[in-house]
Amino acid sequence: MRKAIFPGSFDPFTIGHYDVLESALKLFDKIYIAIGYNSTKERNGYFTLQQRIEIIKAATAHLSGIEICTYPDLTIDLCRRLGVQCIIRGLRTTTDFELESVIAQANKKMYPDVVSLFIPASQEYSFISSTVVRDVLIHGGDASLFLPRGVDLSILK
Ligand code: ADP
């Protein structure tokens, strides 16, 4: 079975993340959507881990081959635990590429069997980030334009 992980903060999971996931599903039978968190902070991020999970569940309910998990340590440690050798990351801009290539090289150094796969953002979603979504929400705007179909933030506790 071809397996990969799609790691991120996903605070929250956006339509841009969903677009990358859909592309990755054409290549892999199973994808772990892995929410990284900092175990030394009591609360990190805008949404709680449980809320982030609920959002991803709602966005991916109709898909098969998806598993959602959380991890407090290095992405390569999660890869080792899951027996996965491919890390998927999305690229929007050259800035993303510069940051991501450094991370990919560090990961390869620490875990030579790992391969990072970069999937370019679709043009219509390339401006979307979790930060934009959070800003819209903080100022009372309608974030549904930037969220995957099926995600209704009003159901979150
Ligand atoms: P992180 O904090 O690890 O960067 P994010 O949740 O912000 O996590 O993003 C996870 C991955 O998704 C990253 O590779 C990021 O570049 C990518 N990504 C974020 N938004 C988009 C988008 N609109 N289109 C394509 N890739 C995206």
Side-chain angles (χ1 to χ4, degrees), residues 6-10 16-17 20 89-92 96 100 121 125 128:
F6 182 24
S9 311
F10 303 122
H17 293 131
V20 169
R89 297 287 285 176
L91 292 184
R92 287 158 293 187
D96 270 356
E100 293 296 339
Y125 303 133
I128 296 175

Side-chain angles (χ1 to χ4, degrees), residues 51-67:
Q51 288 173 325
R52 292 184 221 181
I53 292 170
E54 292 306 320
I55 292 168
I56 299 172
K57 268 192 193 160
T60 61
H62 59 292
L63 300 173
S64 51
I66 302 296
E67 196 170 317

Side-chain angles (χ1 to χ4, degrees), residues 74-95:
L74 294 175
T75 304
I76 51 149
D77 291 332
L78 179 67
C79 289
R80 284 202 176 97
R81 283 200 292 281
L82 296 173
V84 170
Q85 291 180 339
C86 184
I87 299 175
I88 293 159
R89 297 287 285 176
L91 292 184
R92 287 158 293 187
T93 57
T94 51
T95 312

Side-chain angles (χ1 to χ4, degrees), residues 6-17 19-20 71 88-92 96 100 103 119-122 125-131 134:
F6 182 24
S9 311
F10 303 122
D11 187 26
F13 191 82
T14 68
I15 198 164
H17 293 131
D19 182 57
V20 169
Y71 67 106
I88 293 159
R89 297 287 285 176
L91 292 184
R92 287 158 293 187
D96 270 356
E100 293 296 339
I103 296 169
I119 297 185
S122 294
Y125 303 133
S126 63
F127 70 97
I128 296 175
S129 65
S130 299
T131 309
R134 290 195 301 270

Side-chain angles (χ1 to χ4, degrees), residues 8-12 35-52 70-73 134:
S9 311
F10 303 122
D11 187 26
I35 310 171
Y37 66 94
N38 184 340
S39 56
T40 62
K41 287 192 199 162
E42 194 171 310
R43 170 148 193 168
N44 44 73
Y46 181 80
F47 289 99
T48 64
L49 275 183
Q50 198 48 47
Q51 288 173 325
R52 292 184 221 181
T70 63
Y71 67 106
D73 48 359
R134 290 195 301 270

